[in-house]
Amino acid sequence: MWSAGVCSALVLGVAGVGAWLYQDLNGNIQGTDLDNKLGGNRPVNLSPGSKNILVVGSDSRDGDNAEYGKGLSTMQSDTLMMLHIPANREWATVVSFPRDSWVEIPACDKGDGTKSVPHHFKINEAFAIGGTSGKVAEAAACTIRTVEAATGLRIDHFTSVDFQGFKGMVNALGGIEVCPEQAIHDEKAHLDLEAGCQTVRDEEALGYVRARYSIGDGSDTGRIGRQQEFMQALAEKAQSKLASPNALYGFLQSATESLTTDEDLAGVKPLYGLASELKGIPGDRLTFLTVPNYPREADVPTDKANVVWQYPQAADLFAALAQDEEVDKKQLQADSEDLVHASSVRVQVLNATGISGRAAAVAEKLRQAGFTVVGTGNAPEATRTTTVGHPQGLDAQAEVLASRLPDVRAGQDTAAVADTVTLRVGTDLEPEDIR
């Protein structure tokens, strides 16, 4: 229950330590071996030199964290984000994935000799499925596989920090100032906070980033914005404390004791190397984003608990990062105002592969994604290339569909059925390729 700035704060802090701290802090960091756990057919890094670091806020209720809830397995994640570091190291972007994002969880090794079945659910379930046996490596592997499949981005590194580490970092810095516009009284988050600016630490700090149901619209996306502001302040304060050995040492002790990473990132030395690359990035070019989304209830009226990613905006975001292009947050927000629900897109699926049953399989995947499939059939002739055609006036709807398919562009088709987008499935498209 924490957020994206923790990775930035940690590496900024590490940048200020000397070699004399290596031995003391190095043993705190737990490394986990992900080799041979991620399988093949992974996305390719299209921009050599760039890095994507997946960051998990662990909601484990084991040990000292038991007071925050009962009845949950010990491998839980509640906050998930990705830090993108470009090849030129001149900017960085942190993308938050709402925990209630409805995505496909691929088949994952559960660590107990069994494998899960692919299915749709909240994105944070991946960590729990992979960690069935309590092993962080399997939990991380399933989460990475899920994020890579949903975004098309290759994950290079993984880090995880739990509740206790979060509190320790805040306390070591003397607390963080927050300015809630209204009082927050949240029993689940163990928080009673009056309105106005004040410094929070320990349980209050954790409660502030955990609070959800008693503030704003009660959504996870609303909480993400508050978390991002808090963690950006944490990163800035960590940087301001680089000249204070006591504060910096306490901060790094708390961070490293609760930190689990992949083996390549495990240790003060690799973190210091990463910090050295990042320390020159100006604050105004460290951007915090949330994947554009809307309530899934708009597509599935019975689902009032989850969100779905908004297309084509989400696809544009992922494509920009894949190409190592800096994302304009204001432009992304402006583009996201043009909302087209998947359920409003009527789709006719035509099989142009010559493979029996392909149209039906693709249609089912589209229904799962919220689209309204109005019919299936066979195309007049087979083709390799998948196409999306639309009548005049349905440009936006066609683009929403095309953005869910790899390397497919939408175009106007005078032969298309009125009010309907036509998907001709070529041999280059497998049903599992649909995001």
Side-chain angles (χ1 to χ4, degrees), residues 185-252:
H185 303 292
D186 194 307
E187 183 177 351
K188 290 185 177 181
H190 299 183
L191 180 66
D192 286 295
L193 204 63
E194 298 305 320
C197 293
Q198 56 208 284
T199 297
V200 295
R201 53 176 58 83
D202 204 60
E203 301 299 331
E204 278 192 338
L206 181 59
Y208 183 77
V209 297
R210 292 184 65 225
R212 173 179 179 180
Y213 299 103
S214 61
I215 184 172
D217 60 3
S219 70
D220 185 53
T221 51
R223 176 171 60 177
I224 283 176
R226 189 170 65 258
Q227 290 175 339
Q228 289 178 342
E229 291 176 0
F230 188 97
M231 299 310 297
Q232 190 161 18
L234 178 68
E236 292 171 355
K237 193 161 187 178
Q239 189 173 25
S240 73
K241 293 289 186 178
L242 295 183
S244 173
N246 288 337
L248 183 60
Y249 180 73
F251 173 84
L252 291 174

Side-chain angles (χ1 to χ4, degrees), residues 99-105 119-126 129 146 306-307:
R99 57 166 287 179
D100 298 333
S101 297
W102 187 260
V103 300
E104 183 169 22
I105 312 292
H119 64 286
H120 283 78
F121 206 73
K122 300 176 189 290
I123 196 169
N124 70 330
E125 189 198 35
I129 290 176
T146 299
N306 299 297
V307 299

